[in-house]
Amino acid sequence: MTGPSFFDEGALVAVLTTQPLDRLLDYKAPEGGCHLGAFVEVPLGPRKVLGVVWGAGEGGYDLAKVRAVNRVLDAAPMREEMREFLTRAAEYTLTPMPAMLRLATRSPGLGDPPSMRKIYRLGRGEPDRQTDARRRVVATLSEFGGLAFTLKEIAEMAGVSTSVIKGLVSQGVVREEESPRDLRYPRLDPGQSQYTLTDEQTKASSALRAGIASGRYGTTLLKGVTGSGKTEVYLEAVAACLAQDRQALVLLPEIALTAEFLARVEDRFGARPAEWHSGVTMTERRRCWKMVGEGGAQLVVGARSALFLPYRDLGLIVVDEEHDTSYKQEDGVLYNARDMAVLRASMASAQVVLASATPSLESWANAEAGKYTRLELTARFGDAVLPKMGAIDMREEVLPGNRWISDTLAGEVRARIAAGEQSLLFLNRRGYAPVTICRACGHQIGCDHCDARMVEHRFLKRLVCHQCGETKPIPSVCPSCKAEDRLAPVGPGVERLGEETTALFPEARVAVLSSDLFGSARALKAQIVAIAAGEADIIIGTQLVAKGHNFPLLTLVGVIDADLGLQGSDLRAAERTFQLMRQVAGRAGRAEKPGLALLQSYQPEHPVIKAILSGEEEAFWRAEAAERKAVGVPPYGRMAGIVLSSPDVQAVFDLGTDMARRDGPLRDIGAQVFGPAPAPIARIRGRHRVRLLVKADKGVPLQKALAAWVGQFRIKGDMRLAIDIDPQSFF
Ligand code: ADP
Ligand code: ZN
């Protein structure tokens, strides 16, 4: 960028605000002037809004009418690299800039001046009398050892009013202290790994260290079976990065995984890093945002939005479990954190490590094409060996109605219980039953706002729509034919599987792990730790458990319905099933004991099931790649999904048809439009949804053509248009 980097008082500056406007706004620089990139508060109508000084103002109108910037916020100005990154990410995802800026400023009070605040920790006193509320406060604080929290945080965690805590302060049970709001994070010591790395690990870690030492951009796919030491190896890259005084970011797909990972970082580097995800408090969020910008945080562990923090000097981004679908943000700004990590790193001369036991076909293809370096860890660490795999042919099992655990599987579970080992029964379906049907008239209970069936959640005693989150009580009368007590659950969810398991193995301790059974991320973490310590014989779980947890006592994995992911028209169905099954199977036998993974299937001869069982990954990928190449779909072609939605069904179809007809800008680049067709879920929250799909060759300027195409149409009133570049799911 050219132009001045500082603006004197009264100079015209162009400000990008977080408000949904399609242009920059001109203001006069405030008293004392301001830097290019400064975070500022500007007047907009009667309001004050957040913005960033993006460049020199345009001028060319009555300067007397231009208002001045209210104030420059107390935060390091946004660096040029970050402004470039937001601009490029916006161009790639076809997102308006204000929405990008909102992503980059999701830190309440980011501009507040440094100040003190009161924090509270456990003191030495005894309360004059005990109450439940008081006990909860003490228990909450003891749980976190010597850590201190704000009044509000404690009140929330313990579920008490702040007056209870104040009462305890007056008796010395809880101590009140003053502390600066935003502390630097403790220094991490890159030091040495406490392990002697194996040859394979050493080779991989040297390659990653060399990448860091180059000071240039590069992406490495670190592929290794679960338990092969990927984490250990990429922590070496983190160490190398920290030793260069550059910052590192580790992205994890699931908040529930952070606890385990943070403990590991503490072991390796002697202190905890900064944390960034929806589970951290507002105060911590702001501290993290500020310290990342000021250089007071060396390592950030977080969710995908941590990519948009204002790093001073980012040297490494690790994307752990890079194939995980949760890296794709599916509402608001539609971006894939894995791809944006590569973009950001390429602009920051940083290295990217994509770690996975089962890489995405995209990353596999990029490595094949030589764009990424590929490193491989083939052996599990120590004596741990990969589990044996087998299929249970469900056509040969005799199962009474409403039962899903075959005799063969039950026998294996029983053997594990007798040996004091754990079993995992995997079913990727939350709730009690996916369908509730009336036995009198056949009516299935659906959501009032979506074209989706309501899922019974017995634990919550509600029916829940997994599309919009709408819930309603479980009725006793059929809403259609009014028959009484004829509604019946059909099919299994994890809760129902839990019931069956308890009935089959009354002596066993059964733990059901599903995100919706836990009030908070913390409760879930606690449960995972307890299970890892052996406090369950049988674990029942959804895909939550497929993601990288360490259960040393687990030696058997039973996949209840291996066919589940194979149906459906999703282009990635086979890839997903393959990854998920391999991941789940990887849970078994992580410590000394060998594991066994059994897949219940009605079609064990299906190519995907066979590939999973034989473990011939390369063969699977090659076949999958050939298939996609033949039809020109990602990663061998480009796609964009367009979803139009409106409460007015006629209006969406009319617009969709019009868009399909006037496709000139797309035809200019040789792209094709498919549709309009009703989206697979044709109605969500009362809005009718119509989908168009654009397919283009690799290497054409797709975004520009899309912008020109969409620009021809007026999106009026209640109509909404969302563009999804490289769509991951098709709903
Ligand atoms: P992955 O990330 O591939 O699943 P991890 O890095 O978590 O693998 O390693 C699996 C387990 O093996 C961890 O408990 C880790 O501490 C241990 N481990 C890995 N490499 C070594 C080593 N060289 N020496 C000792 N323990 C190791
Ligand atoms: Zn719904």
Side-chain angles (χ1 to χ4, degrees):
M1 271 176 226
T2 52
S5 63
F6 187 84
F7 300 92
D8 291 324
E9 178 175 352
L12 267 191
V13 293
V15 173
L16 172 67
T17 71
T18 51
Q19 301 305 300
L21 305 164
D22 57 5
R23 64 203 155 88
L24 303 178
L25 299 174
D26 280 2
Y27 291 92
K28 283 177 184 149
E31 193 187 331
C34 60
H35 281 97
L36 180 62
F39 286 90
V40 290
E41 180 190 281
V42 293
L44 185 67
R47 286 179 306 154
K48 294 169 178 172
V49 303
L50 175 69
V52 168
V53 175
W54 213 256
E58 292 259 313
Y61 40 78
D62 183 2
L63 291 183
K65 290 212 176 110
V66 179
R67 297 164 85 180
V69 166
N70 284 339
R71 64 187 182 99
V72 176
L73 303 180
D74 187 51
M78 187 185 276
R79 286 170 191 77
E80 181 176 340
E81 174 202 307
M82 181 70 176
R83 280 177 278 135
E84 268 302 310
F85 171 56
L86 294 182
T87 307
R88 297 266 301 271
E91 284 165 5
Y92 189 86
T93 57
L94 289 171
T95 304
M97 282 305 286
M100 293 311 301
L101 183 59
R102 281 199 294 279
L103 253 184
T105 53
R106 289 214 306 218
S107 159
L110 64 89
D112 292 355
S115 61
M116 303 297 279
R117 61 173 178 158
K118 289 196 167 65
I119 54 167
Y120 300 80
R121 68 175 91 232
L122 214 52
R124 294 234 165 83
E126 286 291 325
D128 52 0
R129 73 197 153 76
Q130 276 295 8
T131 64
D132 265 359
R134 287 179 163 189
R135 256 191 289 273
R136 282 205 299 279
V137 171
V138 172
T140 303
L141 285 173
S142 333
E143 188 190 336
F144 289 96
L147 289 185
F149 297 91
T150 63
L151 212 49
K152 216 171 122 215
E153 287 165 356
I154 301 173
E156 245 165 49
M157 290 190 290
V160 302
S161 69
T162 51
S163 61
V164 174
I165 306 163
K166 285 189 181 142
L168 289 169
V169 170
S170 68
Q171 299 178 17
V173 181
V174 173
R175 218 164 65 205
E176 181 180 284
E177 295 164 15
E178 291 271 334
S179 137
R181 257 173 210 284
D182 302 313
L183 283 176
R184 297 174 71 85
Y185 290 86
R187 207 72 216 148
L188 304 180
D189 174 13
Q192 295 266 314
S193 163
Q194 60 256 59
Y195 300 126
T196 318
L197 300 185
T198 63
D199 286 352
E200 213 178 34
Q201 290 173 342
T202 307
K203 224 174 113 201
S205 111
S206 311
L208 294 184
R209 278 179 173 275
I212 300 279
S214 77
R216 286 202 299 270
Y217 159 74
T219 295
T220 304
L221 174 61
L222 176 62
K223 178 180 175 314
V225 293
T226 344
S228 59
K230 290 185 296 300
T231 311
E232 210 54 47
V233 166
Y234 74 63
L235 286 179
E236 289 303 295
V238 171
C241 178
L242 299 187
Q244 285 202 345
D245 262 331
R246 298 185 78 186
Q247 292 169 304
L249 164 64
V250 174
L251 294 177
L252 299 176
E254 183 78 49
I255 301 177
L257 288 173
T258 45
E260 213 175 289
F261 184 76
L262 291 175
R264 208 147 155 191
V265 169
E266 195 170 4
D267 265 4
R268 175 67 179 78
F269 299 112
R272 288 190 162 232
E275 231 182 305
W276 177 271
H277 52 74
S278 59
V280 301
T281 61
M282 294 296 185
T283 326
E284 259 319 291
R285 252 170 181 282
R286 197 201 40 219
R287 175 187 178 204
C288 180
W289 194 92
K290 283 204 144 184
M291 287 305 128
V292 165
E294 290 171 21
Q298 298 161 278
L299 170 62
V300 178
V301 174
R304 55 187 178 222
S305 58
L307 270 176
F308 295 91
L309 289 170
Y311 300 92
R312 276 174 80 91
D313 184 11
L314 188 59
L316 170 69
I317 306 174
V318 176
V319 185
D320 200 359
E321 312 280 353
E322 66 92 29
H323 62 277
D324 199 288
T325 51
S326 65
Y327 283 122
K328 179 67 189 277
Q329 165 121 335
E330 295 285 11
D331 48 38
V333 181
L334 307 176
Y335 68 95
N336 188 321
R338 188 220 310 141
D339 301 342
M340 290 302 119
V342 171
L343 175 64
R344 177 139 206 192
S346 70
M347 302 176 72
S349 301
Q351 291 280 315
V352 179
V353 176
L354 305 176
S356 173
T358 52
S360 59
L361 191 70
E362 270 85 358
S363 299
W364 180 83
N366 277 326
E368 284 286 298
K371 282 194 218 152
Y372 298 172
T373 309
R374 176 162 157 179
L375 296 173
E376 201 143 351
L377 301 174
T378 52
R380 278 193 160 185
F381 177 72
D383 298 330
V385 285
L386 275 179
K388 281 209 187 67
M389 306 262 240
I392 296 176
D393 189 339
M394 295 303 280
R395 293 167 301 198
E396 286 165 15
E397 300 277 333
V398 193
L399 268 185
N402 291 340
R403 287 231 349 240
W404 292 275
I405 301 171
S406 65
D407 285 345
T408 311
L409 184 55
E412 294 290 344
V413 172
R414 219 162 264 126
R416 296 307 178 291
I417 298 173
E421 296 168 15
Q422 289 176 327
S423 305
L424 165 67
L425 300 181
F426 175 81
L427 177 66
N428 206 8
R429 264 189 172 149
R430 291 180 292 137
Y432 184 82
V435 182
T436 301
I437 197 166
C438 171
R439 267 176 301 194
C441 73
H443 176 77
Q444 301 184 1
I445 298 188
C447 175
D448 298 337
H449 316 287
C450 308
D451 278 351
R453 291 181 296 208
M454 299 288 272
V455 177
E456 178 180 349
H457 284 242
R458 204 158 274 196
F459 178 78
L460 302 171
K461 300 194 176 63
R462 311 279 290 178
L463 295 172
V464 179
C465 169
H466 285 184
Q467 293 311 321
C468 72
E470 171 79 2
T471 75
K472 52 186 169 193
I474 301 168
S476 59
V477 174
C478 171
S480 178
C481 73
K482 312 293 175 218
E484 258 185 75
D485 295 322
R486 299 300 303 276
L487 291 167
V490 176
V494 279
E495 292 176 24
R496 196 170 196 187
L497 189 62
E499 252 178 40
E500 183 184 350
T501 307
T502 311
L504 269 177
F505 313 101
E507 72 285 10
R509 295 163 303 166
V510 177
V512 181
L513 266 189
S514 170
S515 53
D516 49 347
L517 298 181
F518 294 87
S520 66
R522 186 163 338 103
L524 179 59
K525 275 187 224 166
Q527 174 77 334
I528 287 171
V529 170
I531 291 175
E535 283 179 25
D537 302 306
I538 304 174
I539 306 151
I540 300 202
T542 58
Q543 64 178 359
L544 196 67
V545 296
K547 297 181 182 175
H549 300 292
N550 235 327
F551 298 128
L553 295 173
L554 186 70
T555 57
L556 172 69
V557 172
V559 177
I560 297 301
D561 187 352
D563 308 330
L564 199 54
L566 295 177
Q567 305 123 1
S569 54
D570 193 329
L571 123 91
R572 292 183 174 81
E575 181 188 350
R576 294 267 158 75
T577 306
F578 183 75
Q579 288 163 341
L580 195 57
M581 293 300 112
R582 301 272 307 174
Q583 293 274 330
V584 175
R587 298 297 111 217
R590 299 224 352 159
E592 315 73 47
K593 294 186 172 144
L596 174 66
L598 292 172
L599 315 186
Q600 295 194 145
S601 169
Y602 285 92
Q603 39 180 336
E605 65 285 340
H606 191 288
V608 174
I609 305 276
K610 278 173 82 172
I612 295 167
L613 294 177
S614 68
E616 284 164 20
E617 292 171 82
E618 292 296 327
F620 171 76
W621 274 326
R622 252 173 248 293
E624 184 67 15
E627 211 151 291
R628 296 222 204 144
K629 215 179 241 165
V631 285
V633 296
Y636 304 99
R638 303 210 47 200
M639 269 162 103
I642 285 88
V643 172
L644 304 171
S645 71
S646 159
D648 179 352
V649 65
Q650 193 57 46
V652 271
F653 271 99
D654 288 349
L655 178 59
T657 312
D658 197 20
M659 287 181 75
R661 204 178 306 127
R662 289 157 61 192
D663 63 347
L666 294 174
R667 252 184 294 130
D668 288 347
I669 59 159
Q672 282 173 286
V673 188
F674 299 89
I681 297 165
R683 195 169 55 118
I684 294 184
R685 292 190 184 91
R687 302 179 65 86
H688 296 275
R689 306 170 77 240
V690 159
R691 198 177 164 102
L692 295 134
L693 209 55
V694 175
K695 239 180 87 181
D697 286 343
K698 244 186 133 98
V700 300
L702 177 61
Q703 277 86 344
K704 246 171 91 188
L706 284 170
W709 174 51
V710 168
Q712 306 177 99
F713 307 96
R714 276 198 55 207
I715 311 299
K716 296 175 294 217
D718 244 354
M719 181 73 69
R720 228 151 281 150
L721 180 149
I723 303 181
D724 187 358
I725 304 287
D726 316 325
Q728 285 284 322
S729 65
F730 294 78
F731 61 87

